[in-house]
Amino acid sequence: QVQLVESGGGLVQAGGSLRLSCAASGRTVTDYNLGWFRQAPGKEREFVATSHWTGHSYYADFVKGRFTTSRDNAKNTVYLQMNSLKPEDTAIYHCAAGLRGPGSSELQSSKVYAYWGQGAQVTVSS
């Protein structure tokens, strides 16, 4: 079992930045893909980014150039640095962990992640 706890959410003005952290416990996540998803009110959950277990990162088109995900395996933690935030980025952000194996084309699917955090609220005001 892997437990995930997000932190770092909050309220920020458009154009500002926030950094989310997701601390894992229960087992080391070196061999896990660590993803970020978000869900806005009334909308479906959507993929944001993934830190692949190899160290490579994948991003949704709408965050490329603005968001960066990174991981610190020594701390069992993954981060999501969010810059140039827009009001449409307002959502609950969840981190997720899935064991290595899926191909890169599958990483945007929530189905390849077995463990999920409770989420962190990010609100961007205009």
Side-chain angles (χ1 to χ4, degrees):
Q1 291 286 337
V2 177
Q3 293 79 43
L4 302 170
V5 178
E6 302 93 339
S7 61
L11 173 64
V12 65
Q13 288 188 331
S17 299
L18 280 175
R19 187 196 196 202
L20 299 181
S21 299
C22 175
S25 61
R27 61 177 61 179
T28 58
V29 291
T30 305
D31 292 340
Y32 283 75
N33 299 314
L34 302 174
W36 291 94
F37 290 75
R38 70 185 188 186
Q39 187 165 19
K43 294 188 177 181
E44 297 287 319
R45 181 169 55 187
E46 61 183 355
F47 169 79
V48 176
T50 287
S51 175
H52 195 258
W53 71 273
T54 60
H56 193 73
S57 299
Y58 299 88
Y59 298 93
D61 287 343
F62 56 81
V63 301
K64 283 182 180 177
R66 300 190 299 126
F67 291 11
T68 303
T69 187
S70 61
R71 64 197 297 165
D72 186 336
N73 286 333
K75 295 182 178 180
N76 233 28
T77 300
V78 63
Y79 305 96
L80 184 67
Q81 177 67 43
M82 304 182 290
N83 299 327
S84 302
L85 282 161
K86 305 174 181 179
E88 52 264 43
D89 293 319
T90 295
I92 298 175
Y93 284 71
H94 298 268
C95 67
L99 196 59
R100 67 177 184 174
S104 58
S105 62
E106 301 173 86
L107 293 175
Q108 297 189 22
S109 170
S110 61
K111 296 179 181 179
V112 303
Y113 300 90
Y115 306 102
W116 292 81
Q118 291 297 309
Q121 176 69 50
V122 171
T123 303
V124 185
S125 63
S126 57

